[in-house]
Amino acid sequence: MMNQFSLEGRIALVTGASYGIGFAIASAMAEAGATIVFNDIKQELVDKGVAAYAEQGITAHGYVCDVTDEDAVQAMVAKIEAEVGVIDVLVNNAGIIKRIPMVEMSAKDFRQVIDVDLNAPFIVSKAVIPSMIKKGGGKIINICSMMSELGRETVSAYAAAKGGLKMLTRNIASEYGQYNIQCNGIGPGYIATPQTAPLREIQPDGSKHPFDQFILAKTPANRWGEAADLGGPAVFLASSASDFVNGHILYVDGGILAYIGKQP
Ligand code: NAP
Ligand code: GCO
């Protein structure tokens, strides 16, 4: 039974994985036997990422690439195939958020969030699927969000992108399942990473950020998630154990989506 969860012999590309959720997912996949490939926009971050993986005993292959640039992504995938091998597992993790009230948000800012969080998963998936088909199958994992299901103030572009990413996940599953490609999503809850650091800042009086208190009241687990909480679910969706799971969004949220919230 446990062999089903092994990633031995599989090459996994995790986008935007110098740190944060991508780094944690890649580290878990390495522990399960995968060869790790990752990218980031800046060489400096790629170098830092390679060093951070090495500190964990992981020999990761790092590439500089902006995932919104289709030519650059196509070139990166060709380089990876030549230098490392065909990608068996793709994790579309790279993402940004801009927290701006919608009516104050410029169309440029809105488009930038959509570009990274929705267009890029399309671009990178499109680049890796042909070789997955030739190889006889593959796994695509899109990192969705609570905002694939829920809205809130100031995150209109992000929610639109992550809602779209949920449906892109289902469409890739529908279109390429016949080639033994499974495409699923992971929907993290509120995870303590640089992306959410502004929501957890300690207040001048030493109290917790109001949003921090809000999330704790909305989470049955009564804690923020850690990036490491996503490792096991990602290994499952990258492994043979999930070969008949397709088009599914696996929420790893401590129960937020199931819970009305603690009475104030
Ligand atoms: P993070 O700490 O901000 O890390 C995001 C990573 O993506 C960074 O390495 C960043 O590199 C990279 N990136 C951004 N734009 C890129 C581009 N155009 N090309 C290549 N790499 C790019 O975020 P995180 O919290 O780890 O989140 C990772 C994913 O999980 C995102 O998709 C996010 O939406 C999603 N998510 C996060 C949470 C949470 O609570 N943290 C919850 C649900 C979903 P740079 O540093 O160079 O920008
Ligand atoms: C926010 C947060 C969330 C998390 C995550 C929740 O401002 O509400 O950044 O969007 O990043 O996506 O699942």
Side-chain angles (χ1 to χ4, degrees), residues 15-22 39-42 45 65-68 92-96 116-117 143-146 158 162 187-196 224:
T15 64
S18 296
Y19 58 86
I21 286 173
N39 75 295
D40 221 306
I41 302 178
K42 307 175 196 102
L45 270 174
C65 180
D66 177 345
V67 290
T68 65
N92 283 309
N93 166 78
I96 62 172
V116 179
D117 295 3
I143 306 300
C144 296
S145 162
M146 295 288 93
Y158 185 84
K162 293 299 189 180
Y190 279 81
I191 312 295
T193 70
Q195 192 247 50
T196 55
W224 284 69

Side-chain angles (χ1 to χ4, degrees), residues 97 99 145-147 152 155 158 188-190 195-196 199 211:
I97 193 168
R99 299 183 182 95
S145 162
M146 295 288 93
M147 275 62 213
R152 86 172 184 85
V155 296
Y158 185 84
Y190 279 81
Q195 192 247 50
T196 55
L199 307 175
F211 196 87

Side-chain angles (χ1 to χ4, degrees), residues 146 150 188-190 212-225 229 251-263:
M146 295 288 93
L150 305 169
Y190 279 81
D212 185 347
Q213 298 175 49
F214 169 68
I215 289 303
L216 293 175
K218 292 287 284 182
T219 311
N222 195 35
R223 69 173 176 88
W224 284 69
D229 287 319
Y251 287 100
V252 186
D253 66 353
I256 292 177
L257 288 178
Y259 185 39
I260 195 170
K262 192 177 292 304
Q263 184 180 347

Side-chain angles (χ1 to χ4, degrees), residues 74-169:
Q74 290 281 344
M76 174 181 69
V77 170
K79 201 162 189 286
I80 292 168
E81 291 184 357
E83 295 176 352
V84 186
V86 169
I87 294 160
D88 301 291
V89 180
L90 166 64
V91 181
N92 283 309
N93 166 78
I96 62 172
I97 193 168
K98 290 179 185 288
R99 299 183 182 95
I100 305 167
M102 197 187 85
V103 294
E104 297 167 27
M105 189 173 209
S106 69
K108 179 173 180 283
D109 276 341
F110 190 95
R111 286 195 192 96
Q112 189 187 357
V113 174
I114 298 292
D115 212 16
V116 179
D117 295 3
L118 180 57
N119 294 343
F122 154 73
I123 287 169
V124 187
S125 300
K126 177 185 165 189
V128 305
I129 283 172
S131 293
M132 285 183 172
I133 291 173
K134 286 191 193 107
K135 191 168 186 180
K139 300 281 190 177
I140 297 175
I141 302 168
N142 292 322
I143 306 300
C144 296
S145 162
M146 295 288 93
M147 275 62 213
S148 296
E149 302 294 342
L150 305 169
R152 86 172 184 85
E153 300 79 1
T154 77
V155 296
S156 59
Y158 185 84
K162 293 299 189 180
L165 185 56
K166 173 175 74 172
M167 287 315 300
L168 178 63
T169 301

